[in-house]
């Protein structure tokens, strides 16, 4: 059955009595971790014509992220449903096929949001007012995510880590498991880094919702510099808010030395402190920047593994593997491995 | 005259760029083919140096593991660290000489095996408090030395420009 026909059948099951049509189904470019398709859904409900511009996000045959281990479509779907009504621009979640019973693989269907996709980092020379507005909105959204009451929002299902070093150790354990399962071969620097992370795991002073991939490149924006949609919530979890701060400010995501190509690292921290009304613990941020590099290296190794296994025909998976040496070099410098030069 | 590997790869590259790419209608298709061309370019520049690159790492790893084994540091360690040091000592004792295999696949497997041993050691020794001058500190210096040299080798090997996520 074609994807279009599968979508029609799925929507007919989700909207009883309707005879939905799927139009203009197009696979969107990018999206190495998920297949992304745009389409229009049209149906008649109680005598009224309904139209929705939709995005289908479906697990690919081979993914950068190990389905079921690091991500779960239903977690992402339920989290975003729980965040509706907050000043966090997110797409509305429409329908979920958590098991892939209708759409072959686990999938969710959400609102198609307006806006231009941000690059991984903005290039130098963008308009100053645009940069300032975008920087402020970027940090405002991060502060909102970290300051929301996740218990009140019913996000307990994400499972809070234990106290003290629990948040850091949970993330180390999660990514070590991915590394052990998905690595094509042992990478000495990554093993060394896990040893360093375990020895240096910090205590957290609070547990918040963590986006898990909060950075330039994962949002849409308008011409004025307003973020119209924060996307890619597949790694969301409960943990240490400094994890998002560290991830967003990693060297890997910088452009022209600026966080996301937007602002100086210190300016980012100060803005966050002002908007979130909590101090940025630089030592914890550094720990999460190391963890961030390790995560990226593990993800890149998983991409190479998927490419080698041949269960996905995405050439970009092999290209992502070229990032591993650069990441390992950064990690070695961060954890103080001074080898012969 | 018959085409060698370089000639064939160049021919494939030309066909893809001049015949296939212009006919692709979708952005996604062009994006994927561009990635393929990038990979092909990488292979064309390096296919004849794969063996040399692997052999260099193999020899480096073998030397490092031999020196670690000679340090006899297992007695200074406890738990998993002592276990991995004994494993290294045993591996070196049973396979002295460390002659690099000629066949690429065997060479690759041999490198992989040695890397795994060094990775296990590094994971357990990297942050440990070790007295200066101890055999364990010597082992860590050896392992760090390999890391530094491998970073330099990888930097030279990859050189594919700035890969953007």
């Amino acid at each position: 059955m074609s994807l279009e026909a599968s979508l029609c059948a799925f929507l007919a099951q989700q909207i009883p009595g309707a005879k939905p049509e799927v139009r203009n189904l197009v696979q969107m470019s990018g999206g190495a971790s998920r297949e992304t398709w745009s389409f229009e859904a049209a149906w008649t409900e109680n005598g009224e014509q309904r139209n929705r511009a939709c995005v289908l996000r479906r697990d690919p045959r081979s993914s950068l992220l190990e389905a079921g281990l690091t991500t779960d479509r239903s977690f992402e779907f339920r989290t975003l449903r729980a965040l509706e009504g907050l000043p966090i621009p997110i797409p509305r979640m429409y329908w979920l096929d958590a098991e892939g019973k209708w759409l072959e693989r686990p999938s969710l269907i959400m609102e198609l949001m307006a806006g231009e996709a941000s690059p991984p980092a903005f290039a130098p020379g963008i308009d100053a007012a645009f940069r300032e507005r975008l920087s402020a909105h970027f940090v405002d959204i991060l502060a909102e995510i970290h300051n929301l009451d996740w218990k009140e929002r019913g996000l307990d299902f994400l499972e809070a880590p234990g106290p003290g070093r629990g948040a850091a150790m949970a993330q180390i354990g999660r990514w070590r498991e991915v590394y052990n399962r998905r690595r094509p071969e042992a990478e000495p620097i990554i093993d060394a880094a896990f040893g360093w992370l375990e020895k240096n795991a910090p205590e957290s002073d609070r547990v918040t919702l963590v986006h898990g991939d909060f950075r330039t490149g994962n949002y849409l924006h308008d011409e004025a510099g307003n973020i119209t949609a924060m996307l890619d919530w597949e790694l969301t979890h409960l943990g240490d808010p400094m994890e998002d701060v560290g991830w967003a400010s990693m060297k890997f995501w910088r452009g022209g030395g600026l966080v996301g190509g937007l602002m100086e690292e210190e300016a980012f921290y100060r803005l966050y402190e002002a908007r979130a009304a909590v101090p940025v613990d630089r030592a914890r941020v550094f720990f999460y920047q190391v963890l961030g590099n390790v995560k990226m290296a593990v993800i890149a190794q998983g991409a190479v593994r998927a490419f080698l296994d041949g269960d996905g025909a995405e050439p970009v998976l092999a290209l992502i593997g070229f990032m591993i040496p650069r990441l390992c070099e950064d990690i070695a410098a961060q954890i103080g491995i001074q080898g012969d030069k | 005259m018959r085409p060698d590997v370089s000639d064939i790869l160049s021919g494939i590259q030309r066909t893809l760029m001049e015949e296939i790419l212009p006919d692709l209608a979708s952005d996604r298709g062009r994006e994927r083919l561009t990635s393929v061309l990038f990979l092909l370019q990488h292979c064309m520049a390096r296919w004849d140096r794969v063996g040399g690159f692997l052999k260099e790492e193999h020899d480096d790893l073998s030397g490092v593991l031999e020196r670690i084994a000679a340090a006899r540091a297992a007695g200074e360690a406890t738990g998993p660290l002592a276990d991995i040091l004994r494993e290294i000592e045993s591996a070196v004792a049973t396979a002295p000489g460390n002659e690099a295999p000629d066949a690429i696949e065997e060479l690759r497997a041999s490198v992989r095996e040695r890397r795994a041993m060094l990775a296990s050691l590094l994971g357990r020794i990297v942050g440990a408090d070790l007295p200066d001058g101890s055999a364990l500190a010597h082992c860590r210096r050896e392992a760090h030395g390999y890391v530094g040299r491998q970073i330099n080798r990888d930097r030279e090997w990859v050189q594919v420009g700035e890969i953007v996520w």
Side-chain angles (χ1 to χ4, degrees):
Chain A
M1 190 188 286
S2 69
L3 178 58
E4 189 172 319
S6 299
L7 271 169
C8 282
F10 175 57
L11 295 182
Q13 190 260 348
Q14 295 289 311
I15 316 165
K19 288 183 183 166
E21 284 179 42
V22 168
R23 300 173 188 150
N24 303 323
L25 179 65
V26 178
Q27 185 164 12
M28 299 162 86
S29 59
S33 64
R34 295 282 167 265
E35 269 184 29
T36 310
W37 302 74
S38 65
F39 66 96
E40 292 167 36
W43 70 95
T44 305
E45 193 172 356
N46 301 324
E48 276 186 41
Q49 179 65 31
R50 307 256 183 177
N51 291 287
R52 276 184 185 173
C54 300
V55 168
L56 162 69
R57 274 165 61 76
R58 179 166 76 157
D59 283 8
R61 286 189 179 83
S62 59
S63 171
L64 300 186
L65 304 168
E66 177 84 343
L69 176 62
T70 57
T71 68
D72 184 319
R73 295 283 64 70
S74 67
F75 278 23
E76 185 179 358
F77 189 89
R78 290 167 67 190
T79 301
L80 290 182
R81 277 255 165 115
L83 299 188
E84 281 178 11
L86 289 170
I88 301 172
I90 48 171
R92 285 186 62 198
M93 293 290 113
Y94 291 146
W95 300 288
L96 172 70
D97 181 14
E99 311 292 327
K101 186 177 164 192
W102 295 87
L103 301 173
E104 193 182 336
R105 280 164 265 139
S107 307
L108 61 81
I109 296 172
M110 61 187 197
E111 178 183 11
L112 175 67
M113 301 290 282
E116 190 174 336
S118 54
F122 284 96
I126 56 169
D127 178 72
F130 170 85
R131 185 195 302 275
E132 193 175 333
R133 173 64 202 138
L134 199 52
S135 299
H137 203 189
F138 181 73
V139 176
D140 280 346
I141 293 168
L142 188 58
E144 284 289 343
I145 292 169
H146 293 168
N147 284 342
L148 65 86
D149 186 336
W150 53 267
K151 285 181 186 160
E152 187 186 274
R153 288 271 155 185
L155 291 168
D156 309 61
F157 68 88
L158 292 173
E159 293 179 13
R165 299 185 346 138
M169 292 304 289
Q171 286 304 302
I172 294 168
R174 184 183 204 189
W175 288 97
R176 191 191 268 281
E177 194 181 345
V178 178
Y179 174 61
N180 289 338
R181 284 180 50 158
R182 299 293 293 165
R183 64 184 181 189
E185 62 182 13
E187 178 56 70
I189 296 176
I190 298 179
D191 281 86
F194 275 119
W196 184 94
L197 289 166
E198 280 170 2
K199 190 174 167 60
N200 292 282
E203 295 197 354
S204 306
D205 52 5
R206 64 181 185 141
V207 169
T208 70
L209 182 64
V210 172
H211 180 283
D213 195 6
F214 195 90
R215 61 179 175 85
T216 293
N218 278 343
Y219 55 77
L220 307 178
H221 64 86
D222 65 16
E223 287 180 2
N226 299 298
I227 293 176
T228 56
M230 196 69 219
L231 304 171
D232 292 330
W233 290 75
E234 60 218 39
L235 293 173
T236 192
H237 58 275
L238 297 176
D240 187 331
M242 294 302 113
E243 184 187 339
D244 275 337
V245 175
W247 179 259
S249 59
M250 272 165 58
K251 189 176 160 193
F252 194 81
W253 303 125
R254 292 196 195 166
L258 304 177
V259 173
L262 294 173
M263 57 197 134
E264 298 284 353
E265 186 177 4
E266 269 304 315
F268 171 57
Y269 298 154
R270 284 197 299 275
L271 194 53
Y272 178 85
E273 286 173 334
R275 303 297 173 120
V278 290
V280 168
D281 181 333
R282 279 21 175 212
R284 263 155 69 207
V285 167
F286 177 73
F287 169 86
Y288 282 109
Q289 286 174 337
V290 177
L291 178 64
N293 271 333
V294 171
K295 278 166 63 174
M296 282 306 299
V298 169
I299 288 169
Q301 278 212 326
V304 174
R305 170 72 176 269
F307 184 76
L308 297 177
D309 285 351
D311 54 357
E314 290 296 337
V316 74
L317 294 175
L319 276 180
I320 287 168
F322 289 142
M323 296 174 182
I324 296 171
R326 181 180 144 206
L327 288 160
C328 284
E329 192 170 348
D330 282 352
I331 293 167
Q334 284 175 315
I335 68 175
I337 293 185
Q338 310 288 339
D340 296 350
K341 298 285 176 184
Chain B
M1 182 193 170
R2 59 176 187 273
D4 64 15
V5 175
S6 293
D7 297 328
I8 293 168
L9 291 175
S10 297
I12 292 171
Q13 185 187 39
R14 270 198 311 279
T15 304
L16 291 173
M17 281 180 77
E18 294 168 15
E19 305 293 331
I20 311 289
L21 189 59
D23 286 345
L24 281 178
S26 74
D27 287 348
R28 184 174 149 68
R30 280 195 295 275
E31 195 177 80
R32 295 174 89 190
L33 186 52
T34 302
S35 295
V36 168
L37 286 165
F38 203 100
L39 289 170
L40 194 54
Q41 182 69 37
H42 178 78
C43 294
M44 288 168 67
R46 289 162 182 81
W47 70 267
D48 57 346
R49 291 189 288 138
V50 172
F53 180 75
L54 280 171
K55 186 173 182 313
E56 197 178 327
E57 185 180 0
H58 181 277
D59 292 349
D60 190 354
L61 278 165
S62 297
V64 166
L65 292 172
E66 272 186 7
R67 291 191 291 279
I68 287 172
R72 300 278 171 207
E76 286 183 8
T78 56
L81 180 55
D83 294 342
I84 181 62
L85 284 165
R86 277 191 214 99
E87 187 190 327
I88 291 171
E89 287 171 16
S90 164
V92 169
T94 52
N98 292 304
E99 192 66 28
D102 287 332
I104 294 287
E105 278 313 309
E106 286 174 36
L107 185 55
R108 200 192 305 274
S110 188
V111 166
R112 195 171 285 151
E113 190 185 335
R114 283 163 172 74
R115 267 184 166 229
M117 276 191 274
L118 201 74
S120 293
L121 176 67
L122 264 169
R124 288 172 177 86
I125 210 171
V126 71
D129 296 322
L130 305 175
D132 284 345
S134 66
L136 282 171
H138 172 74
C139 292
R140 183 163 63 189
R141 268 197 309 280
E142 285 290 345
H144 284 195
Y146 158 79
V147 167
R149 292 187 294 275
Q150 187 57 21
I151 283 171
N152 289 339
R153 281 191 289 268
D154 275 344
R155 196 187 290 138
E156 186 197 336
W157 183 251
V158 173
Q159 277 189 355
V160 286
E162 194 73 0
I163 303 284
V164 175
W165 188 248

